[in-house]
Amino acid sequence: MSEDAVDPATPEPAAGASRRRSRGIDWAQVKEPVPYDPLSKVNLGRSVETALLRTPVQPLEAIPPFRGAGIYAIYYAGNLEMYQPLSGSQTPIYVGKAVPAGARKGQATGGQQGHQLWDRLDEHRGSVDAAGNLDVGDFYARYLVADELFIPMAERLMITGFQPVWNLVVDGFGNHDPGAGRLAMRRPPWDELHPGRGWAARLQQASQYSAEESGERIKAHFIRVPPVRDDVTLAALPATELRDEDIPATALDEGPDSSPQSETPTLY
């Protein structure tokens, strides 16, 4: 008799056996799983996140020009002591997005015809290159051109899962030059820790955190949130341990106000 054959000598369960077993269960106390919805915002964002993490990493200083808007992750692979836990890990040091012109006002048109994502990555290349204590050759990036509807959700999922240190602990990497008329502002903690950007040096107020304080906060962050070592392109993505409402506006790339004047409402 084959393994799949039914042994006629084995009695089948009575038709009402399952119903009798369920009589002693308090179904009001039984957990009800949330039905999987492939079209929910979170799952659509997850699909974009997964696609991003399957793209190859490229040197930040040598990304060729391309068109489109989307999401990106920047990685550190150097020997600087404060970022040593990140080197060789799957955890990005920074996550961000580049949306089509007018997207934050709901008026984006022709987003894939521009080159917003490449511009943003090149701006970051310039920021790292300007810093006196960073080597742009130690930085790599993944990027993905994506539909504008899913870019913000994918960015939030990457931040809540990986908790990148330049998003949540040391604010200011993604800031723009606020212009000559807005120099009476605080210097971003990132520029205090990694001085070199000319516009930041001209800001008149001291940073919210000294370089030493930021260094201690970074060290504490890696104790609380160890970098991911598993291959996230093959294994499960990191759990979203932060609630969406816990993400400060300053953690989001090109947030409501990316100028350096605001305090840093970081989590630690």
Side-chain angles (χ1 to χ4, degrees):
M1 180 182 295
S2 69
E3 293 182 0
D4 296 332
V6 176
D7 185 351
T10 303
E12 294 185 2
S18 179
R19 288 193 296 272
R20 287 196 297 272
R21 286 188 63 237
S22 71
R23 289 174 185 169
I25 299 174
D26 183 359
W27 289 101
Q29 303 299 319
V30 173
K31 181 180 179 181
E32 180 178 354
V34 178
Y36 177 74
D37 179 4
L39 298 180
S40 72
K41 289 192 297 182
V42 170
N43 287 327
L44 289 171
R46 276 288 192 189
S47 69
V48 175
E49 180 185 11
T50 301
L52 169 68
L53 294 172
R54 287 175 176 162
T55 63
V57 293
Q58 299 185 39
L60 181 61
E61 62 182 338
I63 295 175
F66 61 92
R67 292 185 177 273
I71 184 174
Y72 60 89
I74 296 175
Y75 299 84
Y76 181 74
N79 296 316
L80 197 62
E81 184 178 357
M82 73 176 77
Y83 300 130
Q84 192 60 43
L86 288 174
S87 191
S89 79
Q90 299 292 329
T91 294
I93 196 169
Y94 186 77
V95 167
K97 67 179 181 298
V99 296
R104 280 180 284 174
K105 297 180 180 179
Q107 300 173 347
T109 57
Q112 304 311 320
Q113 300 305 311
H115 39 85
Q116 299 88 349
L117 185 51
W118 185 85
D119 286 345
R120 192 66 172 135
L121 286 166
D122 193 57
E123 183 179 14
H124 290 322
R125 177 204 55 76
S127 293
V128 171
D129 200 30
N133 54 5
L134 295 175
D135 184 348
V136 70
D138 292 333
F139 290 82
Y140 294 79
R142 285 187 167 106
Y143 58 89
L144 180 73
V145 174
D147 188 285
E148 66 194 66
L149 293 177
F150 310 121
I151 294 171
M153 177 57 72
E155 179 195 28
R156 286 178 174 272
L157 287 169
M158 287 285 289
I159 292 173
T160 58
F162 288 102
Q163 301 188 43
V165 66
W166 283 358
N167 289 87
L168 293 175
V169 181
V170 184
D171 176 53
F173 176 63
N175 287 7
H176 305 286
D177 184 343
R182 307 178 71 184
L183 296 180
M185 298 176 179
R186 281 188 181 275
R187 187 174 302 110
W190 189 88
D191 290 278
E192 195 73 24
L193 185 62
H194 301 299
R197 292 193 290 195
W199 61 263
R202 294 191 296 270
L203 296 176
Q204 298 170 4
Q205 293 192 46
S207 172
Q208 182 182 359
Y209 298 106
S210 68
E212 292 74 18
E213 289 172 329
S214 288
E216 290 302 315
R217 297 174 76 242
I218 289 170
K219 187 184 300 183
H221 174 76
F222 288 138
I223 293 173
R224 281 186 292 263
V225 189
V228 175
R229 293 288 168 181
D230 294 332
D231 188 346
V232 292
T233 64
L234 299 176
L237 295 172
T240 54
E241 297 179 356
L242 295 178
R243 297 176 303 171
D244 189 65
E245 58 267 30
D246 289 334
I247 303 177
T250 52
L252 302 174
D253 196 42
E254 298 185 305
D257 186 355
S258 56
S259 58
Q261 80 278 11
S262 58
E263 298 294 327
T264 311
T266 47
L267 301 180
Y268 308 122

